[in-house]
Amino acid sequence: MTIQTPGLRSASTDADTPAGVTPVTPAAPGLEGIAVAETVLSHVDGVNGRLLLRGHELRDVAGTLSFEAATVLLWAGFLPKADLARLTDLFAAARERASAALPAMCAAPTGLGVYERMRLGLAALPLAGDLHPAIAIAGAQPLLLAAAARLADGKAPLPADPSLGSAADLLRMLRGTPARPEEIAALERYLVTVLDHGLNASTFAARVIASTGADLGDAVLGAMAALKGPLHGGAPGPVLDMIDAIESPEAAEAWIADELAAGRRLMGFGHRVYRTRDPRADVLKEGLALLSPDLPALRKAEAIETAAQRLLARHKPDRKLRTNVEFYTAVLLDAIGLDRRLFTPLFAVGRTPGWCAHALEQQAGGRLLRPAAIYVGPDAG
Ligand code: ACO
């Protein structure tokens, strides 16, 4: 493997390269196997199917810590200790202040999607003031999401309730009524599960933007854009479409076989790093069972998962395409009663502390990320 320096330039030497010029080494088109940063935040062990957050196994954190407490764990070392100790209050203050972004969100054309309207709110969010920008942004996201969803449905946004935690207030602001404790626990588990995940595409985008010296709001906006694609955070909506299209557990095998024969990918399966089961899938599946042990949706999901894994193993025997986080994300969020248009926006809410932490880590120690392209076009000279 070629080891890359933090600026994504090759660390190898080349006798033909003039002094002072960095030699260019071709990388795989998807950059797999290229390390461009050192991080203390999270570690994705693709061989053993482990995810470490600040050294802790995900399964010990998700379902145990609140969204704010898990964020404290992730951010320890980046923010003042006094702020970390009262992060729940500061996130509540950030939600209240985020109402300053509502005029821009309300003025957007009708027909704009929830995610796009949420990004508009983020772009309009005031970041100057006594809140650290990471707190102002990550704390604001639940209000921006709820406001964007209500506006998309032609309803007025609701103000934040600072007495609640982020997950509880998010559900309340979406629906207009308080959520049940088990729904809040399930959403909290989801938000913590997706908090951070190594150098995935959106986090890489955040680090690239942060490395230019742009501010944290720009890094998170860019990360949100990268998250949206179906190969990344846009998959859970289509996962639910697939589950709906399969009429019964017994119909799963034939439906999936047809999809694969048609050359289509199964959403919610496969991963760039994991060669075994994505550990986040189990944490979310456990959350689903806690929410409602006899849920018919859980039985159907299990049947689809079993059939998909069997057929994928036959379809790509060398690839090990297993269940990823998005499969049980879709089933869990649907079981909480959340609309599929909210799935990618909710992923962004959960991942924002991770994006902020990576952007700050990049700015603290990194260099401008500026890789090379190998020119293969004509040369008129
Ligand atoms: N269904 C069917 N075939 C698949 C799937 C799938 N879910 N995933 C990969 N393959 C096939 C590809 O078609 C490819 O076949 P080919 O060699 O004949 O062209 C082969 O397996 C290797 O695929 P790559 O695209 O090289 O694998 P990569 O590591 O880039 O893919 C990815 C990872 C994008 C997640 C892929 O597995 C996929 O598209 N999955 C479906 C979408 C999805 O679930 N996205 C969410 C990912 S999790 C997250 O980002 C939060």
Side-chain angles (χ1 to χ4, degrees):
M1 184 184 91
T2 306
I3 302 295
Q4 302 285 333
T5 60
L8 238 182
R9 301 161 310 140
S10 166
S12 65
T13 55
D14 182 341
D16 299 331
T17 305
V21 176
T22 309
V24 172
T25 306
L31 294 182
E32 46 266 59
I34 304 290
V36 300
E38 289 187 349
T39 184
V40 297
L41 297 167
S42 60
H43 174 56
V44 182
D45 177 349
V47 175
N48 298 303
R50 295 172 70 212
L51 169 58
L52 298 182
L53 291 174
R54 285 274 181 166
H56 298 269
E57 295 278 357
L58 174 70
R59 64 171 174 273
D60 297 333
V61 177
T64 309
L65 298 186
S66 69
F67 178 54
E68 287 86 353
T71 300
V72 167
L73 177 73
L74 192 70
W75 283 356
F78 287 101
L79 292 185
K81 277 201 171 65
D83 281 354
L84 292 174
R86 51 191 191 103
L87 197 68
T88 304
D89 294 342
L90 292 174
F91 268 20
R95 282 199 305 285
E96 289 189 294
R97 289 191 201 186
S99 58
L102 291 178
M105 296 173 80
C106 293
T110 50
L112 200 69
V114 175
Y115 201 62
E116 290 68 27
R117 205 179 286 262
M118 191 179 160
R119 282 200 318 231
L120 207 65
L122 180 56
L125 194 68
L127 291 181
D130 54 346
L131 287 181
H132 188 286
I135 295 173
I137 295 166
Q141 289 283 51
L143 180 126
L144 298 180
L145 186 157
R150 291 183 69 87
L151 287 166
D153 289 343
K155 297 181 194 155
L158 293 177
D161 177 349
S163 70
L164 298 176
S166 297
D169 207 18
L170 171 45
L171 289 172
R172 186 201 58 83
M173 287 187 290
L174 272 170
R175 298 168 171 170
T177 50
R180 290 182 289 126
E182 58 271 28
E183 292 173 324
I184 298 166
L187 180 61
E188 197 114 56
R189 174 184 285 259
Y190 168 70
L191 296 175
V192 173
T193 297
V194 299
L195 194 66
D196 197 43
H197 199 246
L199 207 62
N200 57 84
S202 56
T203 300
F204 182 42
R207 288 190 83 120
V208 169
I209 294 166
S211 84
T212 70
D215 68 34
L216 212 53
D218 292 315
V220 174
L221 273 169
M224 279 186 76
L227 184 76
K228 188 178 165 186
L231 300 188
H232 190 11
V239 166
L240 205 56
D241 296 340
M242 172 181 75
I243 293 174
D244 286 349
I246 298 174
E247 282 175 4
S248 64
E250 297 71 37
E253 189 104 9
W255 192 94
I256 291 167
D258 285 352
E259 283 294 289
L260 293 177
R264 287 189 282 272
R265 291 184 180 213
L266 293 183
M267 293 293 128
F269 296 90
H271 198 272
R272 176 59 65 80
V273 181
Y274 292 118
R275 287 296 163 261
T276 179
R277 195 177 164 80
D278 182 335
R280 298 171 296 177
D282 285 327
V283 170
L284 296 179
K285 187 175 173 184
E286 194 182 299
L288 193 61
L290 287 172
L291 188 63
S292 182
D294 298 324
L295 204 66
L298 176 57
R299 303 287 153 255
K300 188 176 176 189
E302 281 174 333
I304 293 172
E305 185 185 19
T306 305
Q309 297 205 143
R310 188 167 53 241
L311 293 175
L312 282 168
R314 210 186 300 157
H315 179 65
K316 290 272 162 223
D318 303 332
R319 189 66 196 175
K320 294 199 171 72
L321 298 170
R322 303 282 166 78
T323 314
N324 68 41
V325 64
E326 302 290 44
F327 187 77
Y328 280 105
T329 289
V331 194
L332 180 68
L333 296 181
D334 186 52
I336 300 173
L338 294 162
D339 189 298
R340 70 195 71 193
R341 291 172 310 151
L342 306 180
F343 291 179
T344 305
L346 282 164
F347 196 159
V349 171
R351 183 55 59 84
T352 297
W355 289 330
C356 290
H358 276 272
L360 293 170
E361 189 180 54
Q362 180 68 33
Q363 286 181 338
R367 226 171 114 72
L368 173 71
L369 285 167
R370 202 311 185 187
I374 295 172
Y375 180 65
V376 295
D379 181 349

